[in-house]
């Protein structure tokens, strides 16, 4: 089983990413279940804006990410909270994934069927549940199965404050929730592998 984590931080490598650090808890737990995990920091890639899976113009990296999506049974979108909303990078990723709504496999199933997805959010302001809802809703629209409690987040309440990597407070809960998230993603992905969904009725 394979998983893809798309980190939608605004920080380019090698800058430390709070969002990637928390997503690492989920990655570690998935690897304990034997899942192979690939992590992509989207802002490092030349991903053009658009709503197609094909390259928008020469050098567009989205087709490579799209191939990784189709190779993974588990998807985690990880995003910081900015102004109470998902990052602009997360929005661009979801817009490109919009094309998957019309893509089907050899059995005429939407390509996101029988794949599961979850969300990781960080930020030093409130809005985590809103970000989780927006991203989870988009992934469900595309066809992913979003298990119950397939999310974790960290923040210290409304207003400015320290970052995840700068403060130990709240981490225990976030890590416990992240491990539960990984367990739920793996459990439902395993169930779908054993009994996959059929193509929707015509």
């Amino acid at each position: 089983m394979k998983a893809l984590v798309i980190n939608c931080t605004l920080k380019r490598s090698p800058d430390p990413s709070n969002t990637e650090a928390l997503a690492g808890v989920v990655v570690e737990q998935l690897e304990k279940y034997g899942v192979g995990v690939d992590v992509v920091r989207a802002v490092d890639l030349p991903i053009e804006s658009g709503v197609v899976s094909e390259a928008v113009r020469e050098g567009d990296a989205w087709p490579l990410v799209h191939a990784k999506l189709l190779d993974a049974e588990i998807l985690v979108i990880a995003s910081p909270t900015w102004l109470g909303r998902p990052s602009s990078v997360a929005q661009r990723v979801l817009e490109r994934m919009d094309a998957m709504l019309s893509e089907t496999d050899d059995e005429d199933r939407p390509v996101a069927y029988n794949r599961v997805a979850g969300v990781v959010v960080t930020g030093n302001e409130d809005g985590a549940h809103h970000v989780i809802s927006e991203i989870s809703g988009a992934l469900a629209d595309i066809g992913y199965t979003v298990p119950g409690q397939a999310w974790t987040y960290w923040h210290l309440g409304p207003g400015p404050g320290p970052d995840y990597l700068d403060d130990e407070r709240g981490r225990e809960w976030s890590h416990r929730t992240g491990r539960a998230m990984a367990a739920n993603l793996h459990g439902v992905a395993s169930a779908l592998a054993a009994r996959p969904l059929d193509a929707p009725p015509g």
Side-chain angles (χ1 to χ4, degrees):
M1 187 175 292
K2 296 181 181 179
L4 174 65
V5 177
I6 303 181
N7 178 15
C8 298
T9 179
L10 302 183
K11 299 173 182 174
R12 295 185 181 275
S13 298
D15 289 349
S17 165
N18 296 286
T19 305
E20 192 162 303
L22 180 54
V25 175
V26 181
V27 170
E28 182 179 1
Q29 188 66 33
L30 286 172
E31 289 177 338
K32 289 181 179 179
Y33 296 129
V35 178
V37 184
D38 188 8
V39 180
V40 170
R41 191 181 293 204
V43 74
D44 287 342
L45 303 175
I47 297 174
E48 298 289 339
S49 58
V51 290
V52 297
S53 294
E54 300 76 23
V56 172
R57 56 177 57 88
E58 187 175 355
D60 181 11
W62 182 253
L64 298 175
V65 180
H66 180 257
K68 291 176 182 290
L69 287 167
L70 298 185
D71 194 41
E73 293 87 359
I74 299 171
L75 170 65
V76 174
I77 299 290
S79 174
T81 308
W82 291 114
L83 299 174
R85 303 182 61 81
S87 74
S88 57
V89 176
Q91 183 63 28
R92 177 164 294 198
V93 166
L94 292 171
E95 286 170 349
R96 293 302 296 266
M97 290 180 67
D98 180 82
M100 295 170 66
L101 282 163
S102 58
E103 297 172 10
T104 55
D105 64 14
D106 293 339
E107 298 182 39
D108 206 31
R109 295 174 298 200
V111 291
Y113 268 38
N114 299 309
R115 305 178 195 275
V116 301
V119 185
V120 172
V121 178
T122 57
N124 55 26
E125 59 196 39
D126 204 357
H129 277 285
H130 176 74
V131 173
I132 291 165
S133 296
E134 284 211 352
I135 296 176
S136 295
L139 294 171
D141 280 350
I142 293 166
Y144 281 89
T145 296
V146 181
Q149 298 183 343
W151 49 262
T152 190
Y153 67 88
W154 181 93
H155 70 74
L156 290 181
D163 292 329
Y164 169 82
L165 288 171
D166 300 327
D167 200 312
E168 294 284 343
R169 289 178 295 168
R171 285 198 194 182
E172 181 181 352
W173 179 88
S174 297
H175 291 186
R176 185 172 65 251
T177 308
R179 291 189 292 269
M181 167 187 173
N184 293 343
L185 288 170
H186 178 260
V188 175
S190 298
L192 287 170
R195 190 175 178 180
L197 297 171
D198 295 325

